Amino acid sequence: MNQPNPAPEQAGSPLESRYRRLLRAYPGDYQAERGDEIVGTYLDTVGPGRRWPSPHDALDLLGAGLRERLRGYGALGLAAALPLAATAALNTLVAVATFLLLQVELNDPRVTGLDPAGPFQTIGAVIWLGWLVVGLTATALPGSWARTAAAGGLLLTVALPLVAALIGQPRPPLSVLLPAIALGLATLALPSHPSWIARGLPLLAAGFGTAVSAAFSSAENGGNWFVSYSSTPELLAMAGGLLFALVLLVGLGRALRADDTGLWATVLLTTPAGLLGTDQLSQAIWGTSGGGHTPAGLVVTTGSLILLAGAALLTVALACQAARHRSVRRRVLDNACATCGHRPEATAEG
């Protein structure tokens, strides 16, 4: 089959070179076989005078290249797991945001001993309100609107430490912000067409966070337990454990139906779940300073270790899947009929 070459007026142009650099997301043999065809197709669709690929084209090329690499590893389930992981991450954020907003940010400053930031204990209330808005958007306007809202919530969370330093206002500790950022990154892959059950989950998560806060308030009976960020590390660690357990349970259920997306989602969410226990893990490894506060440097160090462990787990999982995929393909080729080349479907995995 003849492959289209890049449009003559764009051949050798900076735009063509930039499209070819994006092609590096694909495996080398795929680039060699279909690179000209892909670049030519994109160049045929752009208007005159353009010098850079559009953001849509860039994301499309990078995403397609990643899927092609995962196909070569026999790990397409990882790409399919992204929406599931995003849904779990968003609902965890909504539940945690609701709890922290009600239990900490709206608490009496005379109880917490903090200088209030307006009606709230810290300006962290802004990010928790932002993630509640993202949850409502995912319910009412799923798809691109929800992903755009999630990107806004993530940017707000990332910018908060700098803003707090510039205006001299208190903020949540890094042990709270780091898992929020990690979970926020995961929400960028929210599904385009979620089921009605998935669309209703943010409301249930907000209700769960409200119920937990009300239960603590009732049990405290006017006390001052779990009303500041320094007294909630155990609860955040429990939230991380619950997130991991629920996603793993869903993954095992799907695995019984020969669907590995749930298990891949568990691997993807191991790092955010671990980061929810950063403060507790920091205290276990390094000990605590006076007043029970873990220094920011130790939190960053522990968070980095969790990130490295999560990346190592994902790398090992991909390597194991790739080895299994190569073994299956080799067995399929060995079992092919010498006369007609037919390969038994029962062994054709990946």
Side-chain angles (χ1 to χ4, degrees):
M1 182 178 70
N2 293 328
Q3 296 178 346
N5 291 317
E9 64 276 10
Q10 296 286 6
S13 67
L15 180 62
E16 182 192 352
S17 298
R18 287 163 182 147
Y19 271 115
R20 290 194 180 278
R21 281 199 289 270
L22 289 172
L23 278 179
R24 294 173 185 170
Y26 286 86
D29 55 349
Y30 197 93
Q31 295 179 46
E33 181 181 352
R34 299 194 57 190
D36 288 341
E37 177 186 354
I38 295 172
V39 172
T41 300
Y42 278 101
L43 291 178
D44 285 341
T45 63
V46 300
R50 178 180 285 277
R51 296 179 58 83
W52 290 88
S54 68
H56 178 273
D57 286 354
L59 290 175
D60 189 47
L61 268 169
L62 293 174
L66 175 62
R67 285 191 295 272
E68 197 59 40
R69 286 186 181 274
L70 292 176
R71 187 191 306 277
Y73 300 148
L76 279 176
L78 176 57
L82 290 172
L84 176 60
T87 300
L90 174 60
N91 288 292
T92 302
L93 267 174
V94 168
V96 169
T98 303
F99 176 83
L100 293 177
L101 187 65
L102 296 175
Q103 192 70 15
V104 176
E105 294 292 352
L106 291 175
N107 215 293
D108 188 343
R110 293 172 298 180
V111 174
T112 60
L114 293 174
D115 294 327
F120 305 108
Q121 296 303 316
T122 75
I123 62 171
V126 175
I127 62 174
W128 307 135
L129 289 170
W131 284 113
L132 292 180
V133 171
V134 176
L136 288 175
T137 306
T139 296
L141 298 169
S144 60
W145 282 99
R147 289 191 292 271
T148 301
L154 176 60
L155 289 175
L156 190 62
T157 307
V158 171
L160 187 78
L162 177 60
V163 173
L166 289 175
I167 65 177
Q169 290 291 332
R171 59 164 174 80
L174 288 177
S175 58
V176 176
L177 293 176
L178 287 178
I181 291 172
L183 289 167
L185 281 170
T187 64
L188 298 180
L190 284 168
S192 297
H193 304 288
S195 66
W196 283 103
I197 294 177
R199 291 177 66 172
L201 285 177
L203 300 179
L204 292 176
F208 178 75
T210 302
V212 172
S213 175
F216 275 114
S217 298
S218 176
E220 291 165 10
N221 192 24
N224 60 353
W225 303 340
F226 306 112
V227 293
S228 69
Y229 287 109
S230 62
S231 63
T232 55
E234 298 91 344
L235 297 178
L236 293 178
M238 289 172 60
L242 183 60
L243 166 65
F244 183 83
L246 289 177
V247 177
L248 178 60
L249 185 62
V250 171
L252 292 174
R254 291 192 173 199
L256 294 176
R257 304 193 300 271
D259 181 354
D260 63 355
T261 56
L263 295 178
W264 281 115
T266 304
V267 173
L268 290 171
L269 291 173
T270 297
T271 297
L275 287 172
L276 281 165
T278 299
D279 197 286
Q280 291 291 92
L281 189 56
S282 296
Q283 295 178 25
I285 297 175
W286 318 108
T288 60
S289 63
H293 295 278
T294 304
L298 296 183
V299 169
V300 171
T301 300
T302 306
S304 300
L305 292 175
I306 294 172
L307 288 172
L308 289 174
L313 176 62
L314 180 59
T315 301
V316 169
L318 280 172
C320 291
Q321 178 62 23
R324 176 175 176 271
H325 182 63
R326 286 194 297 270
S327 175
V328 170
R329 287 179 62 86
R330 191 179 305 113
R331 188 165 67 248
V332 169
L333 292 174
D334 290 343
N335 290 339
C337 176
T339 303
C340 66
H342 173 73
R343 299 171 183 172
E345 293 182 3
T347 58
E349 291 185 33

